[in-house]
Amino acid sequence: MRRREWRWFVGVSLTMCLESAIFAQARPEFDVASIKPTSKTPDRDSFGGGYCRGTDTRAGTYPRLAAPTALGECRFTSVYLPDLIRWAWGADLSFPALVDMVKGGPDWLRSQRFDLVAKAAQPSQETVATLRQRLQGLLHDRFKLIVHLETQELQGYGLYVAKTGPRLQVSTSEAPPRIAGMTPPSPDQFLIEARTASMRGLASSLSTLGIGPVVDKTAIEGAYDFSLLFARDSIRATKGRMIAPTPDGNSTAPTLFNAIEEQLGLRLVRERVTVQYVVVDAAERPSEN
């Protein structure tokens, strides 16, 4: 082997060993954990999803229909591996709620569902952050999961203050933040109700509507209560290409873009935004419990 080739080989080998060593550093483990494949598909009458409950998890911040989850426990029902990855690495992701924040991996990652229950030995000492670390270690152990984070510029939207200034009501509530879709006045409309919500939370929620990633650039701090009503047709996207569609001819509501400016005093500007996501380098079907 030539000297240059040998140096390249040694360099790559050392890098791979270093990455493995970093990933294998002492991660806290769960006391007991169960991961089982399931063929059950969530529907209107069943829940698919879950969360990890730490001492800093506030009531109302977890999925409303989630199965009862004890302190110091992670419980997920009928989810794909990317769902678990998004939760485990959620603190590092730009938009944890978006499915496409996890890239790569074998096809079964997005076709095989799993049930997961994992419990820490000392629940009263567990925060969401430590449970995320435990979940990362568990996925590495059971799925032989190897991932890395990547940053990329994508076409998306920046959320800015409109020229007329913000039209936001400061929240006086001490309730946990909540942004949710509500029953609209008309089926051709879409209604978002927010309570004690931040602008970063609003941007993250807008990112789940199918228009692409939205990044908060308002520089507005604090928590606010607001409602946002717009034509349902205006959140339509075509083959992943972000568009600013016109509202349905039968709807009297404004487009999403107009509604944000008229009702909230904010505006969406189409631009390239920086997004951090997880790339799956390797994964195997889970070992037996």
Side-chain angles (χ1 to χ4, degrees), residues 243-272:
I243 54 177
T246 56
D248 189 322
N250 297 323
S251 177
T252 57
T255 66
L256 168 64
F257 300 85
N258 289 339
I260 287 177
E261 185 161 358
E262 296 169 1
Q263 299 169 26
L264 304 183
L266 307 174
R267 62 192 179 100
L268 286 173
V269 177
R270 191 178 184 191
E271 61 187 27
R272 296 189 70 80

Side-chain angles (χ1 to χ4, degrees), residues 53-70:
R53 182 181 172 192
T55 56
D56 52 346
T57 301
R58 294 184 294 177
T61 60
Y62 45 78
R64 185 167 53 89
L65 299 178
T69 303

Side-chain angles (χ1 to χ4, degrees), residues 23-36 51-52 72-76 79 81 84-85 87-89 108 114-120 129-147 282-289:
F23 199 98
Q25 284 178 354
R27 270 192 174 86
E29 297 181 350
F30 287 105
D31 187 43
V32 293
S34 170
I35 300 177
K36 298 179 179 179
Y51 70 107
C52 297
E73 178 179 274
C74 292
R75 184 179 293 270
F76 294 86
V79 295
L81 179 56
L84 298 173
I85 294 172
W87 220 101
W89 276 270
W108 62 264
F114 298 92
D115 292 338
L116 180 150
V117 179
K119 303 178 181 180
T130 61
L131 289 172
R132 287 188 193 277
Q133 292 178 338
R134 293 185 191 278
L135 185 57
Q136 289 179 15
L138 179 62
L139 298 182
H140 173 62
D141 179 49
R142 298 291 179 85
F143 288 91
K144 307 305 179 188
L145 180 68
I146 299 176
V147 304
E284 300 178 7
R285 294 183 186 275
S287 57
E288 294 295 326
N289 296 301

